Amino acid sequence: TEDRRRAEYDHRRCRVVINVSGLKLETQPETLARFPNTLLGDPVRRQQYYDAERREYFFDRHRPSAEAILAFYQTGGKLHRPSEVPLDVFTDELRFFQLGDDVIEKYREKEGFSVASSQLSLNRDGCFGKLWLFLELPGSSVWAKLYAVLCVCFILLSISSLCLETLPGFSERAQNPEVEFTTEFFWIETVCVAWFTLEVVLRFVACPSKKDYFRSVLNVFDILAIVPYFITVSVVLASKGETSGLYRKASLTLRLMRLVRVLRIFKLSRYSEGLKMMGSTLAGSGSDIGMLLVFMVILVILFASAIYFVEQLQPEDSESHFSSIPDAFWWAIVTMVTLGYGDTYPQTGAGKFVGSLCALAGILTISLPVPVIVTQFDRLYNQRMEKDWEERTKKNVQGTEEVD
Amino acid sequence: TEDRRRAEYDHRRCRVVINVSGLKLETQPETLARFPNTLLGDPVRRQQYYDAERREYFFDRHRPSAEAILAFYQTGGKLHRPSEVPLDVFTDELRFFQLGDDVIEKYREKEGFSVASSQLSLNRDGCFGKLWLFLELPGSSVWAKLYAVLCVCFILLSISSLCLETLPGFSERAQNPEVEFTTEFFWIETVCVAWFTLEVVLRFVACPSKKDYFRSVLNVFDILAIVPYFITVSVVLASKGETSGLYRKASLTLRLMRLVRVLRIFKLSRYSEGLKMMGSTLAGSGSDIGMLLVFMVILVILFASAIYFVEQLQPEDSESHFSSIPDAFWWAIVTMVTLGYGDTYPQTGAGKFVGSLCALAGILTISLPVPVIVTQFDRLYNQRMEKDWEERTKKNVQGTEEVD
Amino acid sequence: TEDRRRAEYDHRRCRVVINVSGLKLETQPETLARFPNTLLGDPVRRQQYYDAERREYFFDRHRPSAEAILAFYQTGGKLHRPSEVPLDVFTDELRFFQLGDDVIEKYREKEGFSVASSQLSLNRDGCFGKLWLFLELPGSSVWAKLYAVLCVCFILLSISSLCLETLPGFSERAQNPEVEFTTEFFWIETVCVAWFTLEVVLRFVACPSKKDYFRSVLNVFDILAIVPYFITVSVVLASKGETSGLYRKASLTLRLMRLVRVLRIFKLSRYSEGLKMMGSTLAGSGSDIGMLLVFMVILVILFASAIYFVEQLQPEDSESHFSSIPDAFWWAIVTMVTLGYGDTYPQTGAGKFVGSLCALAGILTISLPVPVIVTQFDRLYNQRMEKDWEERTKKNVQGTEEVD
Amino acid sequence: TEDRRRAEYDHRRCRVVINVSGLKLETQPETLARFPNTLLGDPVRRQQYYDAERREYFFDRHRPSAEAILAFYQTGGKLHRPSEVPLDVFTDELRFFQLGDDVIEKYREKEGFSVASSQLSLNRDGCFGKLWLFLELPGSSVWAKLYAVLCVCFILLSISSLCLETLPGFSERAQNPEVEFTTEFFWIETVCVAWFTLEVVLRFVACPSKKDYFRSVLNVFDILAIVPYFITVSVVLASKGETSGLYRKASLTLRLMRLVRVLRIFKLSRYSEGLKMMGSTLAGSGSDIGMLLVFMVILVILFASAIYFVEQLQPEDSESHFSSIPDAFWWAIVTMVTLGYGDTYPQTGAGKFVGSLCALAGILTISLPVPVIVTQFDRLYNQRMEKDWEERTKKNVQGTEEVD
Ligand SMILES: [K+]
Ligand SMILES: [K+]
């Protein structure tokens, strides 16, 4: 190894000086040669920046970004933007030094930029392509915008009808299966479902890849929005001729179908940037929320058991609010999230002590993973802000690149 | 393009060295020439800092700010203060390097300084100007201060009277329209409204631009503070002669007028820096609060529907607390903000499960946009601190500039 | 001014190069001469670091701190520690470069170090000085520690007795003024007050400055701890001979005295670092807490008025929970802090809407100033951590200074 | 001392220049000699990087880390990673400059890496070593994984049985000691305890150090999981022959044993990274939680006393909810954590004022130490993320080291 070290040392004498606006970085040619497809790594490309007189490569570029660019070569491909350098300036430098599209893309992903927008670069020509554009990009034309507004209206109409239907006056009538088909709510629902079905069919036809169609959560919600109607109608029609035996048996199914209908509110997220961010946040912090839930479940079992055993020691005349441990779960949850409905509460001194610990444990437990989730949301939020800003200033940046 | 690159290279040999307290920045004359009206961009102005012996421009200025100044030229006008550099030191450097008032103003705006204070630079001479000064700047004279104190007293008096009026003993008497004009509360209200009306008239007269008058939210609150009185008095007077038919018809209007009267509490924000900050925070985070409300509405509809359908599955003997979905909205909100009044709560196991999810969803939903709003408030808060500090140290800074 | 500039330029040629571990700072002698009592500002003192060969001053010191030291001279006395540099390392550099005790002290104050400890440097000799040391510094001797433990015990005993006295069995007896002097609680109280009185006398005697004695909040709590006893005993003795007329008249006073007795719990803060921090935090964020309270009061008035007027529109059969606006204050507070006792709550749709807004407004209002206060607490907390760490490593640092 | 200073100055001329990728650090040989076992401190080892032509040591290493490496020598061993440098890059540099394993280990500890993993380097050969590996590292083999899954199943089964046992139908039967041995719950418990006992025995046998066995909290929970069973069975068996006198006397013990059984839920933390983090967080913020509890206790006593005295001033017809100060503790806690069950609440105006203050004080008190605890959790969380990342990229780093 001594020989190897000597050889290394000989190489070391041969140094490359890179002067970025006065900041002189020195390294060895081998280090730069690790990424031969980049501006600095390719001896031919970097030649044009060589200043033979001063024996250095000179770049009139952003100086605070320079160390990070060199560290990319030295650490074998790790990119770490200094906190002082704004995101867009750093991306410009990465592009200037030609680190490669895949490196830049990976880096942008690390900074929290989703790469989903690449889907938009699919073939947009032809009849289906135009339809797809019409359906997916409300900003692409006036008609697309109008269509989007109509969709939102139908969603709101359908949700409103679902809610109002349960008002005492209406719900009594609706409970009766004979008249169910004649209420105004049935007709509203039918029109809405017709529209939603049309939408599903159009989207499915227009979708460039039928496989991807079912992978998108939004499309699943589209389908969930229309399925309940068809099941309900089938059951009611089937039970028409007979006595109402089948109808009663299917009662739970029908009730579930009504609940599923509410999920169509998530169809709105197709039209709201905020809801998409919310969804991405939840998807991105799935493991943290899972962790929070596991913590909660363990503490709920612990405190529910404790309160159950402790509250049984009550004086004879009063009765414990906690008839069993599973019954005490609800109390433990309500206490941990500091809801405190007041339907059940400890009555003994020891129970009150357990209750106090339960509330404090709940506050701590909930406050621990929340910052992790909030950070995720903040990153998405700032990304959106950045994107807005980028679009507004795109021309400006291109102009600057021309000058360089 | 090869030719162009060669030309660029030739230019590149010609470098400008800028030495800021030992930090040697190197760039090309072209880069500096992008902003010819600045100290560095103007060859004549920068000449006086030229050190012919060392062939560099030497500035005995703040070294950590220097890279950001150069980056301003290289990135085509982007200013990014390094986190190490305090705001006032950086502003001093911007002024020294003569980046221009508009750049500095824009930069200060980016840092969260409002530019509203420019309004103060309007013509303050003449009778109206002095009146305007008297009304808007309580610190301008002793009389202005006394006037402001009087205004606050009248606001507090009027709010107190409004609250006390509803105490059982008083409110019974006040309900009777015949005696309404004879109660002490009516006289207090009359005096207060007289004062407020005078204030409105004075401010309107003194306001340099009549258009701007109605744009200010504070002035709108001024008007809202007096309108209810005149409407109420008109209605009562009109219904005096007749039977009380009109009075009864206008009952809702009168009630609304009473509610509008409470809004005069916002008149206080003219005299409190803290309330103004609160208002600016809310105005500046309008879109975030809107996003929060949309999240809340969607989750409320979702959980209200879920709890309604789930709670209907109760055993026969007990009755669901949720008579309809709209009725369950209230429960969903009360649960999501962890209020938990206890007037309605789930009674079935499935309902309790839905309730637990609802509370957790609420906690997460509310905690997501709150940091964004808090950050906005913090920025305004620090800006106020900075402004206080700046005013206290203004002389000191000017002294330093003399030395430089 | 042109002449002045030329003169300045001539000066400029004469540069001082300061090499801190390879970081070459260049400045002018005039800049350094602004603070002639410092190591760099005094030509004689800095001479010993001059390297005539390289024509520079060389310091083998902490390199990341160097720019901040130079900026101190350039900005006319502003010190800003770079976030990368730990607090103790930076303080060492300040000491090495002899910026002066007052500058270092001011800087430490800015970083959140209180200067209260200077009080400890008072004359500790003589009999009173030793007594003062014994009372104020439990760590100074074993007897001082034992004394402190005894004090804490008496406080806890006295608080426990105060709480237990109100338990149903005891309180009935205690209500009777005749037996009040014979209960065990009276004797416990008497012993405790005797001890507390002794403590007050000793502290007052030992206090080097009698003026300062009454300024300290802790001493005020000491006095508040004993005053109620003497007042109560006087009243009871005075009313002994007479009929119980006087006793009844003084009933409210006696009740207040009992409440004041609870304040002696704050005497504990003399013995707990955490409680002192809590107190300092509250004292340091007084204006923020005031701002929070003003926000709360305004929103409480607003929402209480709104709920009162809105809830009066109820159907005839049910009655509003809000009999007047002042009565609704309690509801508004309970809703804003998301307590939600459930004793009063809105029953109409409009009322529920107002209630939802009230809860959201409350959450936002409370969350705005809390981070400001939390930051204050964090600074104190880190300061304590730092102080602990400093004391543990003091020897180490001194050793290092020897080497330099 | 003048002589000493002169001597120092003479030394000072002799400077070492360390060039890290163009960043030229200058120091004195003595400074480097403080740590003679490091790469820079050992003149022989550093020789191979010497560039005789330029008279400097050249390292083609990470430039932003270089100042921190030099500061290590200058400050006598303090290591402070610049925030710009990622943790793994900095650790690589520390290894390259051979600062020593103990320094690196200490540094990693400071960054929040636990050193527990060192335990894994114990002798793993032999029969016991393999058993230990099988029990402690579920990832070591398929059978170990299966065993871990079985353990988790038994824990869940045992907890479920504990909870279900208390359901009304079952619990009545279980109350009767005669039938206790015949219920299905008894048999499930017996099987689970048998498994847990086997686990305890195996772990104890396999543990390399019997002393350490009892130090681990997890092992204590293992033992707590089985002890109640044996005590309960003993008591029931002992009371079999006699009349149920003994059984009744031991009733409280048996009840406590049931409560202790719930603690076996913490056995799960052996299998969940998240629960271990939670545990470490709580262990690491013990003093902060203690501080929070002391604050709470003091405020609870204060507000409970206040509400007790204040609420006694009620009009005759209604009765105070607070019968004594200890009774009011519960209200104070419930109010401070904003639970607000509504079982007790103030009814007088003064009481409502005290209640409002109590809620605000509670919110502030709880929000103060929570960020400190959250920070601790965040550090552990990021450490886990970093560890995951490190394991995935280990090969990559080793490859890079080869090249250097
Ligand atoms: K609550
Ligand atoms: K509640």
Side-chain angles (χ1 to χ4, degrees), chain A residues 338-342, chain B residues 330 334 337-343, chain C residues 330-345 359, chain D residues 334-335 338-345 359:
Chain A
T338 70
L339 256 171
Y341 281 123
Chain B
W330 173 238
V334 162
V337 299
T338 70
L339 256 172
Y341 281 123
D343 51 346
Chain C
W330 173 238
W331 169 83
I333 294 168
V334 162
T335 300
M336 286 179 73
V337 299
T338 71
L339 257 172
Y341 282 124
D343 51 347
T344 50
Y345 48 83
Chain D
V334 163
T335 299
T338 71
L339 257 172
Y341 281 124
D343 49 348
T344 50
Y345 47 84

Side-chain angles (χ1 to χ4, degrees), chain D residues 304-372:
Chain D
S305 308
I307 201 81
Y308 171 75
F309 289 123
V310 149
E311 282 284 296
Q312 281 190 324
L313 301 173
Q314 282 197 115
E316 298 293 311
D317 54 331
S318 68
E319 209 186 339
S320 167
H321 281 190
F322 309 99
S323 64
S324 69
I325 293 180
D327 190 56
F329 286 171
W330 174 238
W331 169 83
I333 294 168
V334 163
T335 299
M336 286 179 72
V337 299
T338 71
L339 257 172
Y341 281 124
D343 49 348
T344 50
Y345 47 84
Q347 290 162 302
T348 62
K352 285 169 178 177
F353 183 72
V354 169
S356 309
L357 291 185
C358 182
L360 284 177
I363 290 171
L364 287 182
T365 306
I366 288 170
S367 61
L368 288 189
V370 160
V372 179

Side-chain angles (χ1 to χ4, degrees), chain A residues 263-274:
Chain A
L263 295 178
R264 66 178 64 151
I265 204 163
F266 288 123
K267 279 170 71 84
L268 280 176
S269 52
R270 216 186 268 278
Y271 308 101
S272 154
E273 204 60 40

Side-chain angles (χ1 to χ4, degrees), chain A residues 17 65 106 111 125-126 167 188 238 270 312 315 338:
Chain A
V17 178
S65 306
K106 252 190 202 167
E111 291 271 357
D125 297 327
L167 283 176
I188 292 172
R270 216 186 268 278
Q312 282 190 323
T338 70

